Amino acid sequence: QVQLVESGGGLVQAGGSLRLSCAASGRASRSYAMGWFRQAPGREREFVAAISWSGGSTYSADSVKGRFTISRDNAKNTVYLQMNSLKPEDTAVYVCASTPYGTGWYSMMKYDYWGQGTQVTVSS
């Protein structure tokens, strides 16, 4: 069992920045790759970014490349999502998830544990 708790969401103006955190606990949490997804009202959940268990490999959606950076600190069992140059269309609930797989991180089907999410609202 892995427990995931997100924090760091809030209200920010367009062009601003936020850093989300996802604290993991439980059995084997350090050996999992981690991902961030987001879901805006009326839209399907979509992949944002993922990182390998070592932190050596990352993968991001085209819509956030160059603006968002995923990282992790295994000593703290925490994964981060640094979000810069935020746009109103980034408004969503951001959710972190863990996966035992080494590929296919863009697919929700690969993830077995999910957090509750944190709201990010970007005003224009």
Side-chain angles (χ1 to χ4, degrees), residues 9-122:
L11 173 63
V12 63
Q13 289 188 333
S17 298
L18 281 175
R19 188 177 80 156
L20 305 183
S21 298
C22 174
S25 61
R27 184 169 57 92
S29 60
R30 289 188 182 182
S31 64
Y32 279 60
M34 298 292 294
W36 284 98
F37 289 77
R38 66 186 181 185
Q39 187 164 17
R43 302 188 64 176
E44 293 187 354
R45 185 169 291 186
E46 65 175 358
F47 171 78
V48 176
I51 187 167
S52 64
W53 69 272
S54 69
S57 296
T58 61
Y59 182 62
S60 301
D62 288 344
S63 59
V64 305
K65 280 181 180 176
R67 300 189 299 123
F68 291 10
T69 302
I70 189 170
S71 62
R72 69 190 297 164
D73 183 343
N74 285 341
K76 298 181 178 180
N77 281 350
T78 301
V79 176
Y80 304 98
L81 185 68
Q82 178 66 44
M83 306 187 295
N84 299 328
S85 302
L86 282 161
K87 306 174 181 180
E89 51 264 44
D90 294 319
T91 295
V93 174
Y94 285 72
V95 184
C96 70
S98 63
T99 173
Y101 295 99
T103 59
W105 295 336
Y106 55 87
S107 172
M108 289 190 294
M109 300 297 291
K110 294 289 188 177
Y111 294 80
D112 50 5
Y113 294 104
W114 294 81
Q116 294 298 309
T118 185
Q119 176 71 46
V120 172
T121 303
V122 184

